[in-house]
Amino acid sequence: MKKVTTFILFLFAFNLFAQKETPETEKQIIENEDGSKQVITATKGNLDYLYNGTTSEKAKALYVNAIDAAREKKYKKAVKLYLKSIKEDPKFVEAHDNVARVYRVLGDYDNALKYNKKSIKLFPEGIMAHQNIAIVYQLKKDPKNAIKHYKEIVKIDDKNPEGYFGLASMYLNSGKFDLALENSLTALTIYERTQSHHLADGYQLVGTAYYYKKDMPNAKTYLQKAKDKGARLHPTLEKELFSDDSNSETEEVTLQLETEEDYIKTKDIVLTIVKQLRETPVDKDPEGRQSLNSFLMLWVTGSPIVSIEVLSELVSFSD
């Protein structure tokens, strides 16, 4: 019996005009055990010394070079430079924070925890370290310790929205929807007051909490606000709450790849996907991009009408 591979592929128009993130933050996707994906915000390294900085010119120069390397995605080089900076000034808190973040990007969670903990030991009130260590614990599927550090952020600064946002995400993922709503509303209030560029994330989190509390009118209200700010909803929410809207951005297409004819019939779709991926910034809607990439790779590797050769000269252009 032939194996039939069926994809539920979500095609959509990427929003090229979504609000730009500041250099100090990034989005990261965490995949939950049920297959759903969670967007969290994390702190990037930057040139604004949040704490005491360093009096060592050599440590500072190494730190700046490390930031440049990280921005160029030369992560191993960045780690070496950050560690040299720390060697020059063992009390340089920001260098500890940044090398921990790079270790996290590399998937080295043990070293990420190690340097975040060193940062917290040097400066217990450092919000960046508490936020980033909470993210590492989320990635390690350790919600108890993640919640502990998000609560620490709230304790240090109750006007900082990231502690509440992190708590809301954790409670939402663990099914504590009342606590999720309470914390997400607090985070959103702060985002609105400060006109934060994370407003879309705030609306989306509140709307999702209402959705799981089965309050569909409020869920739709806040998720629509999130969409208006450029957020891309999970396809399930989009279909259930906005499928009747004339401006719905999600189209569900079922594709089957079994025979040569199947591959030929989907050729135009593949070309459309390639064009869309090439013309869309890589930081726009990573979940949707992953769906397109997955289908594209399946089509390329199974197609009897196309063969692909990857030249060694091209490898350096991609992680």
Side-chain angles (χ1 to χ4, degrees):
M1 180 181 295
K2 292 184 178 180
K3 182 179 179 182
V4 178
T5 303
T6 301
F7 259 75
I8 303 298
L9 181 66
F10 296 97
L11 303 177
F12 43 83
F14 284 81
N15 183 357
L16 301 181
F17 305 100
Q19 293 188 15
K20 186 177 180 182
E21 294 183 30
T22 65
E24 292 77 25
T25 58
E26 64 178 343
K27 287 184 179 180
Q28 183 158 348
I29 306 296
I30 291 181
E31 186 167 351
N32 300 318
E33 293 181 0
D34 62 358
S36 63
K37 290 182 174 61
Q38 177 183 355
V39 181
I40 55 177
T41 57
T43 307
K44 282 187 178 180
N46 55 76
L47 294 174
D48 299 321
Y49 298 103
L50 301 180
Y51 312 123
N52 295 325
T54 179
T55 57
S56 168
E57 291 300 321
K58 188 171 183 179
K60 186 183 297 184
L62 288 164
Y63 176 84
V64 171
N65 289 336
I67 288 176
D68 290 339
R71 285 174 177 164
E72 295 171 3
K73 296 187 177 181
K74 298 176 181 177
Y75 296 124
K76 292 182 179 180
K77 178 181 178 181
V79 165
K80 290 180 181 179
L81 290 168
Y82 279 130
L83 293 179
K84 287 181 179 180
S85 178
I86 290 170
K87 187 175 181 180
E88 291 295 324
D89 182 357
K91 295 184 178 181
F92 191 0
V93 177
E94 291 88 344
H96 285 81
D97 288 339
N98 284 11
V99 76
R101 189 191 70 83
V102 176
Y103 273 127
R104 189 185 76 234
V105 171
L106 288 170
D108 187 344
Y109 300 146
D110 290 339
N111 270 317
L113 288 175
K114 174 183 174 181
Y115 283 94
N116 274 318
K117 288 177 180 178
K118 284 187 175 183
S119 173
I120 290 171
K121 187 174 182 180
L122 288 168
F123 191 74
E125 292 77 30
I127 288 177
M128 179 188 286
H130 284 290
Q131 183 181 3
N132 286 334
I133 200 171
I135 291 167
V136 175
Y137 279 125
Q138 282 182 263
L139 292 167
K140 287 173 67 68
K141 310 297 183 184
D142 184 349
K144 182 178 178 180
N145 275 311
I147 288 172
K148 172 186 173 183
H149 284 277
Y150 283 129
K151 285 183 175 179
E152 196 64 30
I153 294 174
V154 173
K155 182 179 177 181
I156 293 168
D157 183 2
D158 62 4
K159 293 181 175 57
N160 187 309
E162 301 309 325
Y164 301 108
F165 191 98
L167 286 172
S169 298
M170 295 305 302
Y171 289 136
L172 193 63
N173 195 39
S174 60
K176 299 178 180 178
F177 303 133
D178 288 333
L179 287 172
L181 181 60
E182 176 186 338
N183 282 276
S184 62
L185 284 170
T186 302
L188 178 60
T189 298
I190 299 172
Y191 286 150
E192 289 179 326
R193 185 169 64 241
T194 59
Q195 284 301 296
S196 168
H197 59 283
H198 289 308
L199 259 176
D201 296 327
Y203 287 131
Q204 188 166 6
L205 190 61
V206 170
T208 305
Y210 273 123
Y211 173 82
Y212 282 109
K213 283 177 63 65
K214 303 188 185 304
D215 183 344
M216 298 309 167
N218 271 318
K220 188 169 183 178
T221 296
Y222 282 95
L223 290 174
Q224 182 61 60
K225 288 182 178 181
K227 289 176 63 174
D228 293 343
K229 290 290 184 180
R232 196 73 57 182
L233 305 186
H234 189 282
T236 300
L237 295 178
E238 181 73 47
K239 182 178 180 181
E240 184 173 340
L241 298 176
F242 301 100
S243 59
D244 295 331
D245 292 358
S246 59
N247 62 345
S248 178
E249 298 172 348
T250 303
E251 177 187 353
E252 185 179 304
V253 182
T254 302
L255 300 174
Q256 178 173 296
L257 300 177
E258 180 184 7
T259 66
E260 180 173 337
E261 185 180 355
D262 292 333
Y263 285 91
I264 293 173
K265 285 193 301 185
T266 54
K267 180 181 64 177
D268 290 340
I269 292 178
V270 169
L271 294 175
T272 300
I273 291 173
V274 171
K275 184 175 184 293
Q276 192 167 353
L277 290 173
R278 289 181 61 187
E279 295 178 353
T280 304
V282 295
D283 61 341
K284 301 302 179 187
D285 202 308
E287 182 180 343
R289 192 178 187 92
Q290 183 178 357
S291 172
L292 298 181
N293 277 327
S294 296
F295 175 77
L296 182 61
M297 291 305 297
L298 182 72
W299 192 94
V300 168
T301 56
S303 174
I305 60 174
V306 169
S307 61
I308 301 294
E309 179 183 5
V310 179
L311 302 177
S312 59
E313 290 85 351
L314 298 178
V315 174
S316 61
F317 289 99
S318 176
D319 290 334

